């Protein structure tokens, strides 16, 4: 970590996502203090430099949607080749057995994987609170702090089980008051409202098919009172639209609007099945969309209308989604997926590598309600991802920035969070990767044996 007196110049990158920082950026403490133009020198005296001439420099990538615990159920045979609802009902019974130790290992593995892919801010949506796993968010906060990664953790919830017409088994649903009380406890204990926050808490009832209308409304009230954000899955599949029509007599967006959620406090995972009028309303409200291309392809859910949403005014960010529907946690790879999927819908000239990098940085930051991350502007946090193009897949590439997406970058060489290097030479600092994978593999095996 640079001492407070250290002024570090990340000097002359091979390429940079911000054309005005072609000469690099200057870091003091946890913040960027200067962008250096091409061929220029910093205006202030620097005490140390990092030669970035072999690196492509991006603002740290920001992941807006994940379920860390699902790294324990990757490529799980009984859930393969299914659409969302049957996929969920197969996996709920497995997830119901996850305990605190497994949760901690799964969270660490997911965060390290994200970090190594150039991600500096991780969001997680955790909604499984069975008897053996009541302190999942506390465990995630501790793990994120230990790793030095910025985290937007959401207190998820499920309150409608199979007995009441919902999808999840009764063993993983909680009553509304327990959920509200725990949400308030987590906000009071961990949420940092300030600029530069390393930990934020948001409220995240899981989905229309696992949460009561009352809990949706009460969550919106609690978020407003505490100044925290709201997150949920919405408009992911046609099945969900049919479920909402049947149960609530309205489409998913009308339902969340009625519950007080259509605002710029909210970001929604997936946001696929919106009509033109709904996109207009989302844009007017400034509601964010966490676009999860790999997950949408794996489950065959559909195509998010990213460009129409952005044009209407809705922030669009990227999410890898949980590791049972992706099944990796690699945000650099997710950028490539977003580029390719986008070009099935729109002209290649519209879905450029610049547009996708914007989604993974500024767009994601807006989804999380933050302007202190996602860019390289002076005053913003020193969250950086630096990629080397020294693998076979990049050989011969002419445009370094485009090569990240087109050749398939998947591993950052260096990652900085709040002015501290957290990945160097492609490896996470202070982490024994082999030991972590061995513990994680054992935890996954133990979970499968519990069935
Ligand atoms: Zn999800």
């Amino acid at each position: 970590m640079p001492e407070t007196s250290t002024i570090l110049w990340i000097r002359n990158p091979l390429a940079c996502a911000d054309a005005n920082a072609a000469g690099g950026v200057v870091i003091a403490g946890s913040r960027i203090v200067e962008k250096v133009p091409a061929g220029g020198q910093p205006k202030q005296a620097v005490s140390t430099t990092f030669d970035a001439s072999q690196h492509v420099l991006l603002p740290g990538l920001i992941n807006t949607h994940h379920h860390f615990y699902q790294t324990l159920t990757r490529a799980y045979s009984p859930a393969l080749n299914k659409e969302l609802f049957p996929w969920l009902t197969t996996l709920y019974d497995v997830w119901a057995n996850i305990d605190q130790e497994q949760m901690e290992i799964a969270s660490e593995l997911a965060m390290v994987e994200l970090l190594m892919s150039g991600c500096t801010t991780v969001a997680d949506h955790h909604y499984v609170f069975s008897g053996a796993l009541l302190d999942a968010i506390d465990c995630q906060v501790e793990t994120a702090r230990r790793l030095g990664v910025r985290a937007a953790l959401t207190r998820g919830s499920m309150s409608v089980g199979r007995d009441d017409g919902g999808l999840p088994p009764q063993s993983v649903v909680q009553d509304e008051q327990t959920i509200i009380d725990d949400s308030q406890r987590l906000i009071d204990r961990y949420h940092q409202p300030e600029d530069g926050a390393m930990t934020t808490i948001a409220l995240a009832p899981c989905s229309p098919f696992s949460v009561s209308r009352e809990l949706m409304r009460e969550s919106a009230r609690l978020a407003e009172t505490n100044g925290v954000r709201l997150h949920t899955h919405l408009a992911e599949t046609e099945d969900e639209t049919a479920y909402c029509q049947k149960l609530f007599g309205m489409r998913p967006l009308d339902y969340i609007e009625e519950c007080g959620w259509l605002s710029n406090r909210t970001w929604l995972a997936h946001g696929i099945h919106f009509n033109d009028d709904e996109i207009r309303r989302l844009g007017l409200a400034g509601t964010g969309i966490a676009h999860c291309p790999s997950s949408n392809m794996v489950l065959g859910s559909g195509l998010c209308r990213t460009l129409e949403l952005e044009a209407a005014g809705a922030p669009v960010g990227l999410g890898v989604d949980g590791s049972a529907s992706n099944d990796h946690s690699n945000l650099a790879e997710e950028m490539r997926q977003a580029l390719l999927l986008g070009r099935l819908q729109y002209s290649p000239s519209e879905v450029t590598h610049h547009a996708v990098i914007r989604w993974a940085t500024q767009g994601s930051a807006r989804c999380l309600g933050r302007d202190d991350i996602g860019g390289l502007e002076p005053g913003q946090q020193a969250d950086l991802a630096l990629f080397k193009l020294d693998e076979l897949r990049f050989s011969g590439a002419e445009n370094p920035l485009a090569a990240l997406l087109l050749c398939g970058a998947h591993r950052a060489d260096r990652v900085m969070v709040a002015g501290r290097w957290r990945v160097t030479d492609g490896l996470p600092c202070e982490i024994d990767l082999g030991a972590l994978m061995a513990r994680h593999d054992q935890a996954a095996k133990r979970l499968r044996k519990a069935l």
Side-chain angles (χ1 to χ4, degrees):
M1 180 178 194
E3 301 298 323
T4 42
S5 57
T6 301
I7 310 290
L8 167 67
W9 178 20
I10 310 282
R11 181 164 54 93
N12 295 335
L14 176 66
C16 181
D18 183 338
N20 296 320
V25 290
V26 180
I27 312 293
S30 65
R31 290 178 192 278
I32 296 166
V33 292
E34 191 179 339
K35 291 200 291 194
V36 182
Q41 292 282 326
K43 294 196 187 89
Q44 56 206 299
V46 298
S47 52
T48 182
T49 63
F50 175 80
D51 175 8
S53 59
Q54 302 298 311
H55 294 85
V56 180
L57 172 63
L58 305 184
L61 309 180
I62 298 170
N63 192 46
T64 56
H65 187 66
H66 202 326
H67 311 285
F68 295 157
Y69 71 90
Q70 290 183 12
T71 58
L72 297 168
T73 50
R74 283 170 160 159
Y76 178 60
S77 291
L80 295 179
N81 314 324
K82 289 182 161 63
E83 291 187 0
L84 180 71
F85 277 18
W87 174 86
L88 272 173
T89 47
T90 304
L91 282 162
Y92 278 139
D93 292 312
V94 187
W95 298 335
N97 293 311
I98 294 176
D99 63 23
Q100 197 79 11
E101 186 194 351
Q102 289 163 325
M103 184 69 207
E104 187 185 328
I105 296 168
S107 299
E108 179 169 349
L109 187 114
M111 285 192 243
V112 167
E113 191 182 356
L114 280 165
L115 194 58
M116 290 175 70
S117 75
C119 177
T120 51
T121 299
V122 302
D124 195 63
H125 185 180
H126 187 81
Y127 51 82
V128 179
F129 292 85
S130 57
L133 187 59
L134 295 175
D135 296 324
I137 308 292
D138 303 72
C139 150
Q140 292 185 329
V141 170
E142 283 164 27
T143 306
R145 287 182 177 170
R146 183 160 50 79
L147 295 173
V149 61
R150 206 179 294 283
L153 300 169
T154 74
R155 204 298 180 188
S157 50
M158 297 196 287
S159 65
V160 179
R162 284 173 195 161
D163 294 353
D164 303 304
L167 282 191
Q170 292 304 123
S171 60
V172 292
V173 304
Q174 294 180 298
D175 67 79
E176 273 86 4
Q177 196 56 50
T178 300
I179 292 164
I180 293 300
D181 290 347
D182 193 50
S183 299
Q184 187 65 58
R185 177 187 72 83
L186 290 165
I187 294 167
D188 293 344
R189 185 153 187 196
Y190 299 120
H191 181 67
Q192 298 172 329
E194 67 268 21
D195 191 72
M198 289 298 289
T199 309
T200 57
I201 300 290
L203 304 184
C206 186
S207 62
F209 45 84
S210 56
V211 170
S212 68
R213 195 186 292 241
E214 293 68 34
L215 183 60
M216 289 293 286
R217 287 185 179 143
E218 192 52 41
S219 297
R221 273 194 289 271
L222 198 63
E224 176 95 33
T225 309
N226 286 277
V228 301
R229 296 185 72 71
L230 287 165
H231 182 51
T232 192
H233 294 97
L234 203 80
E236 183 173 359
T237 63
E238 295 286 14
D239 283 349
E240 178 196 318
T241 306
Y243 182 96
C244 288
Q245 292 280 20
K246 189 171 166 213
L247 208 69
F248 309 121
M250 58 183 85
R251 289 172 56 81
L253 192 74
D254 297 327
Y255 171 63
I256 66 155
E257 182 171 31
E258 191 208 71
C259 294
W261 277 59
L262 190 57
S263 80
N264 61 4
R265 187 182 292 290
T266 300
W267 87 103
L268 304 169
H270 305 294
I272 295 169
H273 299 281
F274 292 131
N275 60 33
D276 291 346
D277 181 59
E278 290 167 339
I279 286 175
R280 185 187 58 77
R281 286 155 59 201
L282 284 158
L284 278 176
T287 302
I289 303 295
H291 174 39
C292 305
S294 292
S295 173
N296 298 161
M297 287 187 272
V298 167
L299 298 176
S301 301
L303 297 163
C304 175
R305 297 171 66 189
T306 48
L307 295 189
E308 286 96 331
L309 284 158
E310 256 195 334
V316 172
L318 281 193
V320 297
D321 201 4
S323 298
S325 66
N326 183 330
D327 293 4
H328 64 64
S329 305
N330 190 306
L331 198 47
E333 287 188 10
E334 205 62 29
M335 288 201 297
R336 174 174 161 83
Q337 300 286 38
L339 181 90
L340 299 180
L341 186 62
R343 288 183 181 193
L344 284 180
Q345 296 169 272
Y346 307 106
S347 152
S349 65
E350 292 175 298
V351 187
T352 64
H353 59 279
H354 293 290
V356 176
I357 292 170
R358 182 181 71 240
W359 292 343
T361 54
Q362 291 169 35
S364 286
R366 287 182 66 206
C367 283
L368 301 184
R370 299 188 65 153
D371 57 13
D372 59 338
I373 55 174
L376 299 176
E377 296 300 324
Q380 286 189 302
Q381 290 289 300
D383 290 4
L384 309 174
L386 291 86
F387 293 84
K388 263 189 174 173
L389 307 183
D390 57 356
E391 292 177 68
L392 209 59
R393 64 179 66 206
F394 298 112
S395 186
E398 188 268 330
N399 182 322
L401 203 58
L404 288 184
L405 281 75
L406 292 172
C407 304
H410 62 113
R411 189 166 182 168
D413 182 64
R414 288 211 161 223
V415 178
M416 176 181 277
V417 184
R420 296 174 68 201
W421 290 118
R422 303 315 303 150
V423 172
T424 56
D425 298 327
L427 290 170
C429 301
E430 300 141 31
I431 298 289
D432 181 340
L433 269 188
L436 174 60
M437 282 192 285
R439 280 195 299 134
H440 185 266
D441 191 50
Q442 281 304 315
K445 283 187 177 127
R446 185 160 65 81
L447 183 63
R448 293 197 294 269
K449 266 191 200 148
L451 285 176

